[in-house]
Amino acid sequence: MDNSRKFNGVDYKNTFAQRISAMHKLVGQVLSAQICNGDHILDIGGGPGMGARIIDEMGIKATVTNIEPSTTINDVPDLLSVEYISLQISLKEALDTRMPYSADCILMVSSAHEIALCNNLGSMENKKMFFHDLDSFIRKNLVPGGKMIIGFPNYSKMRPWQR
Ligand SMILES: C[S@@+](CC[C@H](N)C(=O)[O-])C[C@H]1O[C@@H](n2cnc3c(N)ncnc32)[C@H](O)[C@@H]1O
C-alpha cells in the first residue's frame, strides 16, 4: 500500500487527531515558546492542517505551509490568525519543489513513521532514506539557526510511571 494514501478519505480531525490530542497539546506548549508573530513554518505531513490549527489556537500570526500528500489536505482549517498554504505533495516531491519561503521552523508531528514507510524498503533502509531526505529538506528550506520540532505519538509528559 502506498502509505501516503493511508489517510485518504478519512475524517482525520474527528478520529486520529482526537486520539493524539494530548500530544497536540504538548506540541502547542513547545511551539508557544519557540515561534512568534511573523514566523514562517513548514509542516511536513500536517494532515488537515493540524500544525496550522495548533498555532492558530495560540493566536500567533504566522504563515503555515502544509506538505501533505493525502486527500485530508482538502479539509481546510478555519483560521483566524494563521495564513495557510496547502501543498498536496509528499516529502520526496517537496525536495524538488520550490517552497513559498525559507522557514523559521519545520514541524513534523506524528508523521515521521508514515513518511519513512513510504520508501517501501526494509526498516533500516527506510529510516536511512527518511533521514537523508529530511536532511536535504532542512538544508534547502530552513533558515540558518531555524528550528525543527518533531512530535511523536507515543510520547506523553505524564506517563503513568513518571507521575
Ligand atoms: C498520523 S498523521 C499526522 C497528521 C498531523 N501531523 C497531526 O499531528 O495530526 C501522519 C500524516 O503523514 C502524512 N504522510 C504520509 N506519508 C507522507 C509523505 N511521504 N510525505 C508527507 N506526509 C506524509 C499522512 O498522509 C498523514 O497525514
Side-chain angles (χ1 to χ4, degrees):
M1 175 187 176
D2 175 351
N3 216 61
S4 71
R5 297 196 202 140
K6 182 174 160 187
F7 292 101
N8 275 354
V10 167
D11 181 2
Y12 185 92
K13 198 166 37 68
N14 294 309
T15 53
F16 290 87
Q18 282 181 4
R19 271 192 245 151
I20 58 176
S21 65
M23 185 197 53
H24 286 153
K25 285 201 182 81
L26 278 173
V27 169
Q29 281 172 22
V30 173
L31 274 170
S32 64
Q34 299 294 338
I35 61 167
C36 53
N37 288 335
D39 274 0
H40 292 82
I41 291 126
L42 294 171
D43 184 13
I44 306 176
M50 293 313 295
R53 291 170 203 258
I54 292 168
I55 293 165
D56 195 71
E57 271 176 26
M58 302 185 304
I60 293 179
K61 291 184 174 63
T63 307
V64 180
T65 296
N66 186 13
I67 296 160
E68 167 57 54
S70 83
T71 56
T72 59
I73 203 161
N74 298 329
D75 181 0
V76 177
D78 207 1
L79 304 165
L80 291 174
S81 62
V82 163
E83 189 186 325
Y84 180 66
I85 300 168
S86 63
L87 298 176
Q88 192 174 8
I89 53 174
S90 66
L91 171 61
K92 229 175 252 304
E93 290 164 328
L95 290 174
D96 297 322
T97 305
R98 192 180 166 85
M99 292 295 113
Y101 43 71
S102 291
D104 303 290
C105 173
I106 292 176
L107 193 58
M108 184 180 268
V109 182
S110 182
S111 52
H113 181 69
E114 308 273 343
I115 296 170
L117 282 176
C118 285
N119 292 308
N120 291 318
L121 300 167
S123 97
M124 280 309 287
E125 287 77 12
N126 276 346
K127 281 181 201 152
K128 270 192 205 155
M129 185 73 81
F130 166 74
F131 283 115
H132 174 271
D133 289 350
L134 184 58
D135 181 62
S136 305
F137 187 81
I138 290 170
R139 285 175 194 277
K140 275 188 170 177
N141 297 302
L142 188 63
V143 298
K147 293 160 188 158
M148 166 102 212
I149 295 173
I150 306 191
F152 294 99
N154 57 356
Y155 176 79
S156 114
K157 203 175 188 176
M158 296 290 280
R159 285 184 194 153
W161 59 89
Q162 288 179 328
R163 282 184 192 146

